[in-house]
Amino acid sequence: MLVTTITCMGLVCTIACGVFATRSAHQRGTSLGAVPMVWGTAFALLQLFIAIWSGIGLVQDGMLPAFVFNIAACGCAWVSFNRAVVQQRFAALVGPEGRFAHPAVAMTVMLVLAGILATLGLELPSNHNLLWMYPLCLLLEIALITGVLAGMFFLTQRRAGLSAFFALAFFILGVAEYFVITFKSMPITPGDMTAISTAAAVAGTGYTYTLSAFCLVGFACAALSMLALQLAALIAPSPRPRTRRALLVNLGVALLCLGGVTAHVTLVDYYHTLGIQVYTWRPLESYYRQGFLPAFISGAQTVKPPRPDDYSTDDAEQLLDDYAAEFDATRGADKDRTAAETQFDKEKPTVIAVMNETFSDLSIYQKLHADYEGPEYFNSISDCLSRGTLYVSAYGGGTANSEFEFLTGNSMANLGSGVYPYTIYDLTETDNLASQFKELGYDTTAMHPNHATNWNRENVYEDFGFDQFLAIEDFEDAETLRGMVTDRETYDKILELLETNSNPQFIFDVTMQNHSGYDTGMVPQNKQLNLSIDGMYDAEVNEYVSLIQESDRALEYFIDQLRQLDRKVIVVFFGDHQPFFPSTYNDLWFTDEDEATHQERLWQTDYVIWANYDVAGNDQVSEEVDLSTNYLGSVLMDLIGAPINDYQKAQAVLREAMPAINSSGYEDAEGRWYLTGSALPEDGDAAQQAVERAHSDYATMQYYELFYDGKDVYTKRYQSAANETDPNLVPGTTKIK
C-alpha cells in the first residue's frame, strides 16, 4: 500500500496545483484555458491509474520509484497548469535577448530530449541495465523514436498532443514487453503481431499484471517525455503565422522525419548491413543488448522465408529423388518395414496424436533440487514403439509452431526468428499428416478446447484437410482446472469419437489444461505438489508440476481405456514446449558446458509412440530415440507401416547425419550440438561434414515443399467466417468448410 499512499498524496498535490493555477489566472483577470487544463488533467489521470492499480495490489511496493513517478507527474502537471507563466519565462530565455540565438534551437533540444526520455520509457520496464546495450544500437533507437515524435509534432503544426500520445504509446509497448517476458521469458516478436487475437484470447486467464518498480520509473520517463514535447510547442518560434508557407514548411519537416524513419526501416538491411540480429537460442539477450526497436525491426525484415543459396526447383526435386531412392534401397527394403506395411494395409489402425500443452519433464534440471522425479506414469510406460527426448522450436509459448513442425515435417530452423507459419504463410498446398490420412480413407478430426480462431487454426485445419474441428463450443459443461478444459475431457471426447465411428480415424488433440500462467492458486489442495527448491517454496513451479501430475494421471486413464478397446489404435503423445521459468535454473545450475548444449536443454520436451496391439516389425520395448518435432510425424508413419511420401523418406535419411534440428540449433551423428547460424570447422570430421551437408539439403528441400519458387508465400486468408454446422456430424461438432 506504500505506492498507493504516495500516489494519492501526489494526486492531491497535482489537484492543488490545478486549483492554485486557476485562482492565479482569475486574479490576473484571465482564465486557465482549455489546453493547460487538458494537459494537467492528463498527468493527473496517469497518477489516478497508478493509485487504483496499486490499490488492488498490482504494483510492486517501493518508496523510491513511487516518489520518482509522482514527482515527475506532479512537476509535469504544474508546468501544464502554469503554461502561460512558463511560456513567458521561456520567451525571455530563447528570444533575441535570451541565451539562445533562435528558439528553433531550444525547440530541437526539447524534441531530442523527448526522444531520449521516450526511449527510456520503452526500455526500462523490461531492460534494467541500459549500460549493457550496444551504444550505437541505443543511439539508433533514440534516433528512430525522436524521428517519430518530431514527425508527429510537425505534422500537427508544432502541437504536442499527437506526439505525446506516441510517447505514451512507446511506454505502453515497453510494459507489454515486460509482461510478455514475465509470462513467457521471450520478447515480443514480429510474428506476435499476426497472432494478437490468440494472445487476447488467453491474456485474461491465469496471469497477474503487476507493474514493477522499473515500470514506474519508465512511466516517469514517459511523463517527462510528454512534458518535453509540450515545452517544445511552447518554445516553437512565435508568433506562428498560419500561412500556407508555414503549413508547407511544417508538413515538409514532418515528411522528412517520418519518411526518413520509414526509409531507414525498410531500405536498410539491419541483419547484414548493421549486424543487428535476433539469436533464436537467446532472443532476450538480443533485445536487451540491441534495444527493442532495432531487434524487432531486424526480426520483421527476416520474416520473409530465407531462400537457400543457389536455390532452384530442379535441384530441389533432384535432392528429393536422390534421398527417396536411398531410403527405398535401405530402410524401405527392410523386412521389418515391409511387415509393418503389410499389417497397416490390412488393419488401418486409428492414429491419435496428442500434443499436450507445456508438458515436459523438469527433472532434467537436477531434479529441481527437490527430488522431483517428473511425470511418474509417463516415464514408466515400458511397451512403447519409441520414446525419448523431443527437441522443439518453442520455449514458454508458441504452441502453433510445434504442431506445424509435427504435422508438416518442416522445421522452424529454416524459417527465421519470430515467425508463426499458421498466421503468415499460405499453407493451402502444404503436405501434412491430416491430408495423408485423408487420402488413405481416414476420417480426420482436430480438437482444441479453446477458440477456433486462435493461431488461425480454423483456416489452417481446413487447408490441411481435417474433416472437422472441435473447439471450445464443443466442450460445454466440460470439467475444468483453473478455468481450462482438462486433458481427461479431451480424451473422453476422443473415446466418444471411437465409439460412434468405426472407420479408421486420424485425431489430432491439442490440449489446454497446462497453459500458463502458473500463479492462479486455483489448483485444489488434493491435487497440489509441494516442492521445496533449495529450501524455498515457489508457487509458480508448484502449480506447474501439479498440473503435469494431473496430465500424467489423465494419460494413464486414457491408455488404460485404449488397452481395453477392441480396435487397433496408435497414440503419439508429446509436449509442445517447456514453461517459461526453467531458464533461471538452467543458468544457475549448469555453468560448465558449451553454449549449444546449455541452450538445447530449454528447447526440449518428451514424446512417446504407443500402440494397443503388436505392431509388426517392432519389439515395443520402449526403445529410446531422441529426435526433433519435425521428424516425429515421419517416424510415426514409418514405425506403423503407413505409406510415406518422398519428403518423409528424405527426412528418414537426413536423420542419420542430423538426428535433431530446431530453431535453436542442430545435432550431428556424434551427439554434438551447434547453434543456429554458427560456422562449423572448415576441417571438420566426417560427422561434421555430413551434418553440414544434411543441414543445407534439408533447407533446400523444405523451401521447395513450402514455397516452390518463392512466389505467393504469404497467407491469402485469415480469420474467416464462423464454421457452418453440419447435421451429419457428431452432435456438437463443427464442419470445416
Side-chain angles (χ1 to χ4, degrees), residues 261-340:
V261 170
T262 303
H264 188 277
V265 168
T266 56
L267 300 179
V268 176
D269 188 332
Y270 275 45
Y271 185 96
H272 295 97
T273 304
L274 301 182
I276 298 172
Q277 55 185 301
V278 179
Y279 296 104
T280 53
W281 62 88
R282 197 184 282 271
L284 270 180
E285 180 178 321
S286 301
Y287 273 66
Y288 287 158
R289 303 214 68 174
Q290 299 169 147
F292 177 88
L293 285 183
F296 184 89
I297 292 168
S298 178
Q301 291 179 345
T302 58
V303 163
K304 184 177 181 180
R307 187 184 181 95
D309 294 336
D310 302 321
Y311 173 82
S312 75
T313 56
D314 291 341
D315 290 344
E317 289 170 352
Q318 187 61 54
L319 275 177
L320 282 166
D321 290 343
D322 292 345
Y323 275 103
E326 184 176 347
F327 175 89
D328 290 337
T330 53
R331 169 64 179 168
D334 183 87
K335 61 181 180 62
D336 289 338
R337 167 67 185 173
T338 303

Side-chain angles (χ1 to χ4, degrees), residues 470-696:
L470 311 182
I472 188 62
E473 59 269 15
D474 302 298
F475 288 86
E476 291 183 3
D477 301 321
E479 179 188 18
T480 61
L481 181 59
R482 305 179 311 139
M484 310 283 190
V485 174
T486 64
D487 291 356
R488 179 161 175 165
E489 287 286 349
T490 69
Y491 300 154
D492 282 336
K493 185 71 72 173
I494 294 173
L495 294 171
E496 178 186 336
L497 291 173
L498 298 181
E499 181 181 352
T500 57
N501 185 351
S502 60
N503 295 335
Q505 299 183 62
F506 173 63
I507 302 171
F508 182 48
D509 176 18
V510 180
T511 71
M512 189 69 187
Q513 173 189 288
N514 305 330
H515 197 283
S516 59
Y518 305 113
D519 57 355
T520 68
M522 296 171 64
V523 177
Q525 187 68 34
N526 64 339
K527 295 182 178 181
Q528 289 182 11
L529 281 178
N530 293 290
L531 303 181
S532 179
I533 302 173
D534 286 335
M536 301 291 290
Y537 179 86
D538 189 309
E540 287 187 319
V541 174
N542 278 288
E543 182 164 318
Y544 171 79
V545 296
S546 298
L547 293 170
I548 296 303
Q549 178 177 256
E550 287 305 299
S551 285
D552 196 44
R553 290 170 177 169
L555 178 62
E556 181 176 15
Y557 158 79
F558 187 43
I559 296 296
D560 285 346
Q561 294 296 309
L562 294 178
R563 289 185 191 276
Q564 302 171 33
L565 281 184
D566 187 23
R567 64 185 292 176
K568 292 179 171 55
V569 176
I570 302 286
V571 174
V572 54
F573 176 99
F574 63 100
D576 58 348
H577 56 74
Q578 292 185 24
F580 60 85
F581 53 76
S583 58
T584 300
Y585 306 122
N586 196 41
D587 292 341
L588 185 63
W589 297 338
F590 298 88
T591 57
D592 187 21
E593 58 187 358
D594 65 273
E595 182 70 6
T597 301
H598 185 73
Q599 291 304 319
E600 285 298 339
R601 188 175 292 106
L602 300 171
W603 300 78
Q604 64 175 265
T605 60
D606 300 276
Y607 81 95
V608 64
I609 302 175
W610 176 87
N612 70 348
Y613 67 100
D614 293 329
V615 176
N618 191 289
D619 295 331
Q620 290 181 229
V621 291
S622 295
E623 179 184 4
E624 293 203 11
V625 179
D626 297 343
L627 46 84
S628 46
T629 323
N630 59 300
Y631 292 144
L632 183 57
S634 60
V635 168
L636 165 71
M637 302 293 274
D638 183 25
L639 287 175
I640 66 177
I644 58 178
N645 57 39
D646 286 353
Y647 190 39
Q648 292 168 326
K649 292 177 181 179
Q651 291 176 6
V653 177
L654 283 170
R655 283 183 53 233
E656 297 176 9
M658 189 171 61
I661 179 174
N662 59 12
S663 59
S664 181
Y666 54 99
E667 182 186 27
D668 70 15
E670 299 296 325
R672 295 170 297 197
W673 278 91
Y674 309 93
L675 292 173
T676 298
S678 61
L680 274 65
E682 293 184 3
D683 57 346
D685 57 31
Q688 290 173 324
Q689 294 176 20
V691 76
E692 188 170 24
R693 183 171 57 255
H695 189 269
S696 175

Side-chain angles (χ1 to χ4, degrees), residues 188-509:
I188 295 174
T189 64
D192 293 325
M193 300 299 99
T194 65
I196 289 178
S197 62
T198 300
V202 299
T205 307
Y207 297 115
T208 302
Y209 296 88
T210 301
L211 295 174
S212 69
F214 285 97
C215 289
L216 285 183
V217 176
F219 212 161
C221 291
L224 292 172
S225 176
M226 295 167 67
L227 175 62
L229 291 165
Q230 186 182 179
L231 294 177
L234 293 177
I235 297 170
S238 180
R240 290 179 293 178
R242 302 186 183 280
T243 63
R244 178 178 297 180
R245 180 177 179 278
L247 174 66
L248 293 177
V249 168
N250 287 331
L251 290 178
V253 176
L255 180 62
L256 184 65
C257 293
L258 298 177
V261 170
T262 303
H264 188 277
V265 168
T266 56
L267 300 179
V268 176
D269 188 332
Y270 275 45
Y271 185 96
H272 295 97
T273 304
L274 301 182
I276 298 172
Q277 55 185 301
V278 179
Y279 296 104
T280 53
W281 62 88
R282 197 184 282 271
L284 270 180
E285 180 178 321
S286 301
Y287 273 66
Y288 287 158
R289 303 214 68 174
Q290 299 169 147
F292 177 88
L293 285 183
F296 184 89
I297 292 168
S298 178
Q301 291 179 345
T302 58
V303 163
K304 184 177 181 180
R307 187 184 181 95
D309 294 336
D310 302 321
Y311 173 82
S312 75
T313 56
D314 291 341
D315 290 344
E317 289 170 352
Q318 187 61 54
L319 275 177
L320 282 166
D321 290 343
D322 292 345
Y323 275 103
E326 184 176 347
F327 175 89
D328 290 337
T330 53
R331 169 64 179 168
D334 183 87
K335 61 181 180 62
D336 289 338
R337 167 67 185 173
T338 303
E341 288 177 347
T342 301
Q343 183 188 47
F344 182 89
D345 290 341
K346 178 182 178 181
E347 303 292 349
K348 289 291 193 299
T350 282
V351 177
I352 302 167
V354 178
M355 190 177 76
N356 195 271
E357 173 65 40
T358 324
F359 185 92
S360 61
D361 183 356
L362 297 192
S363 66
I364 63 173
Y365 296 96
Q366 299 181 1
K367 297 186 177 181
L368 291 178
H369 289 193
D371 295 324
Y372 176 62
E373 299 293 341
E376 182 179 352
Y377 174 75
F378 177 86
N379 289 334
S380 71
I381 302 175
S382 59
D383 58 343
C384 305
L385 280 73
S386 182
R387 68 175 306 147
T389 298
L390 185 71
Y391 293 97
V392 299
S393 293
Y395 174 73
T399 295
N401 284 355
S402 291
E403 62 181 272
F404 166 78
E405 289 191 324
F406 168 67
L407 290 172
T408 69
N410 297 303
S411 176
M412 295 303 304
N414 298 318
L415 293 177
S417 62
V419 172
Y420 297 110
Y422 273 18
T423 62
I424 296 176
Y425 300 137
D426 180 3
L427 302 176
T428 307
E429 303 299 327
T430 303
D431 286 337
N432 64 89
L433 293 179
S435 62
Q436 278 186 273
F437 279 109
K438 191 176 180 67
E439 290 176 0
L440 294 172
Y442 277 60
D443 293 339
T444 56
T445 300
M447 66 172 64
H448 176 57
N450 211 286
H451 301 293
T453 54
N454 286 0
W455 294 116
N456 195 31
R457 285 190 178 100
E458 63 174 356
N459 290 319
V460 172
Y461 288 166
E462 174 190 349
D463 293 339
F464 278 3
F466 282 104
D467 296 318
Q468 59 183 357
F469 177 19
L470 311 182
I472 188 62
E473 59 269 15
D474 302 298
F475 288 86
E476 291 183 3
D477 301 321
E479 179 188 18
T480 61
L481 181 59
R482 305 179 311 139
M484 310 283 190
V485 174
T486 64
D487 291 356
R488 179 161 175 165
E489 287 286 349
T490 69
Y491 300 154
D492 282 336
K493 185 71 72 173
I494 294 173
L495 294 171
E496 178 186 336
L497 291 173
L498 298 181
E499 181 181 352
T500 57
N501 185 351
S502 60
N503 295 335
Q505 299 183 62
F506 173 63
I507 302 171
F508 182 48
D509 176 18

